[in-house]
Amino acid sequence: MMRTQSLVRLLALLLALPLGLQQVSAQPKKKGEAATSGTKPVNGILLEVANEKFTVEQLADAFKKNANRGGKTFFELSKDSALQFVNLYADYRLKVRAALDKGMDKRPEIETEIIQNRRQLAAAPAPNTGYLIERKVVDPAIRNIFNRRSDELKLSLIFSKMDAANPADTLRAYQRTMGIIKQLQAGGDFGAMATDSSDDPMTRNNRGVLGWITSGMILREIEDAAYAAPVGKLYPTPVRVASGYVVVKLVDRQPRMKVRGAHILIEAGEPSIGAAATDTAAQWQRAQQALERIRNGEDFATVARQVSDDKVSGENGGDLLSFYTRSLGFEAKEGKLEPAFEDVLMSLKDGQVSGIVRTNYGYHIVKRLESHIPTFEEEKETLRQLYKRLFLADDRHRYVQTVMEKQGFQINKATMTALLAAVNQSRTTADTAWAHGINNELRSKTLFSFQGKNVRVIDWMDTIETHPELRATALTPEGIESSITSVLEMPALLKEAEPLEQEYPEFASLMHEFRDGILIFKLEDEAVWSKLKYDSAEGRAFFERNKANYNTAPKYGLTEILVYKEKERDEAYRQAQAGTIPFDSLAAQYTQRPGYREKRGRWGLATAKGSDIVKQVLQRKPDAKVGDLIPPFEYQSGWSIVRVNEVEPPRPMSFQEAESELRSNYIDDLQSRLKKEWMKELRGKYSVKIDGAVLAKALAAK
């Protein structure tokens, strides 16, 4: 099984079979939906393999899935590259046709493998998604988030916390929140009441103002209320969240626009309270002079480079180098603008320059460079990741519950009540005596129904015992229902996924590609892989044909001085260059490598592969010869000075010396020959026709 999967992945790299669930995140058309495209591609039958015909568009789609296409489309290829891909695809289809003609798709083990692959692709266990969840849950959700993100909302909140486990405290928090709403509806000041009454420190200190948000940024309950409220009005009822109740007021609502801005900053520090100590005349004058230069026609970017105190943006002509929205801040970096700056940037039109704007940083002159309304295509993958991280788990659970109910799931309430009475609800199924109170009569009763079958209490108990992940199930209503759901989830999803091929042609294509990959592996295993065995006699013949490629590596004999102090390094190298003292004598005097003074610094003959010191020498002098002196280089926390004493040049290997190396080369050569012979046989058995005129016309239309 593992070998099959590894080859299928190899084929995917070669022929772009989409093998991972990362491939199912796009939003395909359902059956019957029309495809949309800007221009109609040049089409026509480009390739015929046996009785199969493939259009230009089909080949272009196949190439689009190629992981190694370098961002190109099929129509951007040169004629030779396009033809090479078409031939590669033809070989792929030849193998599939040969496998089908041999009836390999009817083999039980292959049918089983295809079924297993379909299960994994269609409905994967959490936290993975699978095709069904991607299409039915994720795609609609991210589209809904994006649609809501057409607007940004400015909110104010008042929060009343509660102990959710205490009904009395929950009621108190609700009544308190209703009282606040009534006071506000009667004309109370929201900011004052938030400061006085909110249990959320952040918004309380800001008079209840949360700021700008858009969909996917806050708790869903608050978001839903905010998007439902009229501008300037309260949501009419308390909003329940896990930890309390919230009063929601929609302060403002604006279309979300991505804006790229630039600025010129004249630093002035934070404005003083009750005085203008930091607002010096000189700083104001600098800002005024810069603004006058721009109004008189000078280029904004040039002025920014010359006078802006923000050196980072100044070097880029004031450009902040990122699109910005009120709710999400900068797109390409962390952070948000100060409100005064933000308000001005958003109020300008593209190309407009503001007057002087004061913030805590100083005086700004702001220019709006460009803007655009966000598109779904540019944001969908970010939204997909956000949704999966924050919301998918809950939505998946709700979807599973809906699917289970659709398939007849129903708990027998009377049996559940009796079961709860028979167990200690403060314990879990990890307690060895958890089931002692469940008598035989109760064990035989139906606990729930699903997919037309009745499941007894005893069946559920057996499941608890045989599923390790359920052996600490809480013996509460929630715990028991959760254990049932966890067991029924995959059968329910797989049943729901049965018509995927009919509903989504892309999924049907995906399954065909899985099947084809498995068939090709099995066929290629029989035709090639199973025959890849090393034979000593044939290996010798291969050696004789390729003797020139098998030579020993050159060997080098070295003498080294290793020292750890710069003074010793410099002195040893000076004396080595002078040559008045033999190098091995210097090594016996200076080297500090343990055991090498006695050897007078000598290393035996070795190759670069077998000795790191030889490798270090050849990196510095690839053509090292006898007598060469290698200057000091950092090595093993010290410095090495090396002299080359001996060089043993390469020589032809004997068969015995080369055999271990040539084995893999022989197998590679055998594999290549067997594949060529096999493909020649297939091309002789099945016809392959490539219409050069159609190809030329398609490439000419790019």
Side-chain angles (χ1 to χ4, degrees), residues 284-469:
W284 170 263
Q285 189 65 29
R286 283 182 60 206
Q288 191 64 41
Q289 289 171 352
L291 182 60
E292 286 300 318
R293 289 173 61 184
I294 295 166
R295 286 177 173 172
N296 288 333
E298 286 195 53
D299 178 55
F300 185 97
T302 300
V303 177
R305 290 188 184 95
Q306 292 174 356
V307 307
S308 182
D309 290 332
D310 179 354
K311 299 306 179 186
V312 175
S313 68
E315 290 178 359
N316 295 290
D319 193 340
L320 295 172
L321 300 177
S322 175
F323 280 101
Y324 182 88
T325 62
R326 295 181 184 92
S327 54
L328 300 170
F330 287 107
E331 187 174 73
K333 55 187 176 182
E334 295 291 329
K336 297 188 75 173
L337 297 169
E338 287 202 9
F341 191 125
E342 178 182 275
D343 290 344
V344 169
L345 177 64
M346 291 299 175
S347 68
L348 296 171
K349 295 179 180 179
D350 290 359
Q352 276 190 330
V353 176
S354 73
I356 297 173
V357 181
R358 186 67 165 95
T359 73
N360 288 330
Y361 295 97
Y363 299 109
H364 304 261
I365 303 168
V366 180
K367 181 177 182 179
R368 178 156 155 169
L369 300 175
E370 61 174 321
S371 62
H372 70 273
I373 297 172
T375 66
F376 182 68
E377 283 302 311
E378 71 181 287
E379 296 196 337
K380 66 179 180 181
E381 290 310 316
T382 299
L383 294 180
R384 191 177 298 276
Q385 294 170 17
L386 171 78
Y387 173 76
K388 288 183 176 181
R389 187 175 73 252
L390 299 179
F391 307 117
L392 176 59
D394 289 341
D395 287 359
R396 179 187 177 119
H397 178 73
R398 280 189 286 271
Y399 178 73
V400 168
Q401 292 293 321
T402 301
V403 169
M404 287 168 56
E405 291 170 9
K406 176 182 172 183
Q407 296 173 17
F409 173 70
Q410 187 173 11
I411 289 178
N412 186 311
K413 293 182 180 179
T415 303
M416 176 64 86
T417 300
L419 177 59
L420 290 168
V423 297
N424 185 339
Q425 294 189 40
S426 66
R427 302 291 182 87
T428 73
T429 56
D431 188 333
T432 56
W434 73 271
H436 285 183
I438 307 174
N439 59 38
N440 290 336
E441 181 183 359
L442 179 55
R443 293 181 185 216
S444 65
K445 288 185 177 181
T446 297
L447 179 58
F448 63 88
S449 303
F450 178 64
Q451 292 182 352
K453 297 178 182 178
N454 293 328
V455 180
R456 302 167 300 169
V457 172
I458 186 64
D459 301 322
W460 170 75
M461 293 169 65
D462 289 343
T463 300
I464 293 293
E465 294 300 322
T466 56
H467 287 65
E469 71 274 15

Side-chain angles (χ1 to χ4, degrees), residues 564-584:
Y564 295 101
K565 295 181 179 179
E566 293 184 17
K567 183 177 180 181
E568 292 176 341
R569 176 199 66 188
D570 296 342
E571 181 59 25
Y573 184 55
R574 184 189 66 76
Q575 293 188 45
Q577 285 182 304
T580 54
I581 302 174
F583 192 83
D584 59 350

Side-chain angles (χ1 to χ4, degrees), residues 606-677:
T607 64
K609 187 176 180 180
S611 169
D612 189 61
I613 187 71
V614 172
K615 179 181 176 181
Q616 296 291 329
V617 167
L618 293 180
Q619 285 177 350
R620 289 158 178 81
K621 194 168 181 60
D623 59 343
K625 300 181 293 295
V626 173
D628 283 348
L629 181 65
I630 310 302
F633 58 89
E634 291 188 28
Y635 187 54
Q636 297 180 346
S637 303
W639 289 273
S640 286
I641 307 166
V642 178
R643 184 181 187 278
V644 181
N645 300 323
E646 184 180 358
V647 178
E648 183 181 286
R651 60 171 178 77
M653 287 182 173
S654 67
F655 173 69
Q656 288 74 20
E657 289 175 315
E659 188 171 21
S660 61
E661 180 182 338
L662 70 79
R663 280 176 181 267
S664 62
N665 296 336
Y666 168 81
I667 293 295
D668 289 344
D669 179 73
L670 177 60
Q671 176 185 325
S672 176
R673 285 189 286 114
L674 289 173
K675 279 190 172 182
K676 286 179 182 177
E677 292 168 4

Side-chain angles (χ1 to χ4, degrees), residues 99-164:
L100 291 173
D101 286 352
K102 292 186 72 172
M104 296 182 75
D105 58 322
K106 301 298 190 292
R107 293 181 185 178
E109 72 276 11
I110 292 180
E111 288 182 332
T112 299
E113 193 164 342
I114 291 172
I115 290 170
Q116 290 174 343
N117 275 315
R118 189 191 185 282
R119 288 168 63 96
Q120 293 172 11
L121 184 63
N128 299 312
T129 49
Y131 200 95
L132 180 71
I133 296 294
E134 288 284 344
R135 299 289 80 84
K136 301 295 187 180
V137 179
V138 179
D139 285 351
I142 64 172
R143 175 61 75 172
N144 183 57
I145 292 173
F146 175 77
N147 289 342
R148 275 191 168 180
R149 283 192 170 201
S150 62
D151 286 339
E152 298 176 300
L153 314 183
K154 187 174 184 180
L155 305 184
S156 289
L157 309 175
I158 298 175
F159 174 63
S160 296
K161 66 181 179 181
M162 69 184 184
D163 178 0

